[in-house]
Amino acid sequence: MKTLLEVELEGLPPTVNHMYRTSGRYRYKTMDARQYQEYATFKIREQWSGKEQYREPVSLSIEFETSNKRRWDIDNRVKALQDCLSTAGVIKDDTQIEELHVKRKYGSRMGTLIILNAC
């Protein structure tokens, strides 16, 4: 597989449960979610550096590193990163993702590693 993108981000993305709030009939993205996605999109664009949007199937690997052993579902943090990849112009949308690998490891910091490969 050919690696298209590899980027390390500080911190962890918000969970799906913390990305959205509802007020009456309206659903909106929280300020924390918007700020994290703006940061992640900027870092991804910086690494992608003006290449054309990739439109073929991809494999996405995500590794979350956490410094504590708090319990949380790893799949709840993936959606925010998939959205960042399309917002940054790396892929058209997350339907291109045909393989998804997600891993959590314990270490000395809080961080996220994203590796996008061509299938």
Side-chain angles (χ1 to χ4, degrees):
M1 276 192 267
K2 177 185 174 192
T3 298
L4 302 170
L5 174 77
E6 185 170 331
V7 62
E8 284 190 51
L9 303 171
E10 292 180 22
L12 301 173
T15 65
V16 172
N17 300 333
H18 291 104
M19 277 183 66
Y20 299 99
R21 293 284 179 257
T22 303
S23 176
R25 300 181 313 179
Y26 301 101
R27 188 169 189 209
Y28 61 94
K29 200 174 280 187
T30 65
M31 178 68 79
D32 288 344
R34 285 196 314 263
Q35 287 176 340
Y36 185 88
Q37 286 188 305
E38 285 173 12
Y39 157 74
T41 299
F42 174 80
K43 296 298 275 184
I44 291 168
R45 270 193 193 125
E46 194 174 59
Q47 286 290 330
W48 192 243
S49 63
K51 298 174 192 167
E52 272 190 48
Q53 190 177 66
Y54 194 78
R55 295 181 176 260
E56 300 298 320
V58 295
S59 169
L60 176 60
S61 295
I62 301 169
E63 185 175 287
F64 299 118
E65 182 176 344
T66 180
S67 58
N68 65 46
K69 296 205 178 202
R70 266 187 57 213
R71 292 175 47 142
W72 46 268
D73 296 338
I74 61 175
D75 60 324
N76 268 348
R77 296 184 184 270
V78 173
K79 184 63 178 155
L81 297 173
Q82 291 174 329
D83 291 346
C84 291
L85 289 168
S86 60
T87 302
V90 176
I91 58 175
K92 183 173 172 23
D93 61 45
D94 54 9
T95 62
Q96 290 171 247
I97 300 169
E98 294 197 356
E99 290 182 37
L100 179 62
H101 306 273
V102 185
K103 177 182 177 181
R104 172 179 33 213
K105 73 176 190 176
Y106 300 102
S108 59
R109 65 182 193 94
M110 300 283 269
T112 304
L113 174 63
I114 301 170
I115 301 173
L116 189 72
N117 293 307
C119 283

